[in-house]
């Protein structure tokens, strides 16, 4: 099964009967795999796409993180204090 999924994700085809079309929340398929090779810092997991979302390895998560870093670097305050606190919490390194 793993060999088939690896062959499918490396095929470069985006056909309607492929596993990423049948199970879109589970398998990434060739579309995500190609985007991983184009950008390099997104979509590391081929089989369980929720793991990329959990660890922030999606293009939207990286864009949001860059936006939050830019807000804090400029020293701009957001209109909502809770949002500012959330931005600070997301960008602070954890020491646990």
């Amino acid at each position: 099964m793993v060999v088939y999924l690896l062959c499918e994700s490396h095929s470069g085809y985006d056909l309607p009967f492929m596993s990423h079309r049948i199970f879109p929340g589970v398998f990434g398929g060739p579309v995500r795999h190609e985007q991983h090779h184009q950008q390099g810092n997104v979509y590391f997991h081929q089989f369980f796409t929720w793991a990329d979302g959990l660890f922030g390895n999606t293009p939207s998560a990286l864009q949001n993180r860059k936006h939050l870093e830019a807000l804090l670097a400029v020293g701009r305050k957001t209109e909502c204090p809770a949002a500012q606190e959330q931005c600070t919490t997301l960008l602070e390194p954890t020491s646990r």
Side-chain angles (χ1 to χ4, degrees):
M1 184 67 175
V2 173
V3 173
Y4 169 76
L5 292 172
L6 286 171
C7 290
E8 187 178 89
S9 67
H10 286 92
S11 71
Y13 293 110
D14 187 17
L15 303 173
F17 55 83
M18 295 181 116
S19 61
H20 71 283
R21 296 278 188 176
I22 298 170
F23 304 105
V26 180
F27 301 114
V31 177
R32 283 185 173 226
H33 189 73
E34 181 62 29
Q35 195 166 5
H36 168 72
H37 282 286
Q38 287 178 359
Q39 290 184 309
N41 58 351
V42 296
Y43 298 137
F44 290 106
H45 210 288
Q46 294 182 33
F47 304 130
F48 303 106
T49 58
W50 58 266
D52 286 323
L54 179 68
F55 296 111
N57 296 323
T58 62
S60 61
L62 292 174
Q63 183 179 8
N64 289 341
R65 183 168 178 85
K66 288 178 184 178
H67 178 70
L68 292 174
E69 288 172 348
L71 280 176
L72 291 175
V74 172
R76 210 181 295 168
K77 301 286 183 188
T78 61
E79 294 177 12
C80 175
Q84 180 63 29
E85 182 179 319
Q86 183 182 10
C87 292
T88 307
T89 305
L90 286 173
L91 294 174
E92 287 177 350
T94 57
S95 58
R96 295 178 200 155

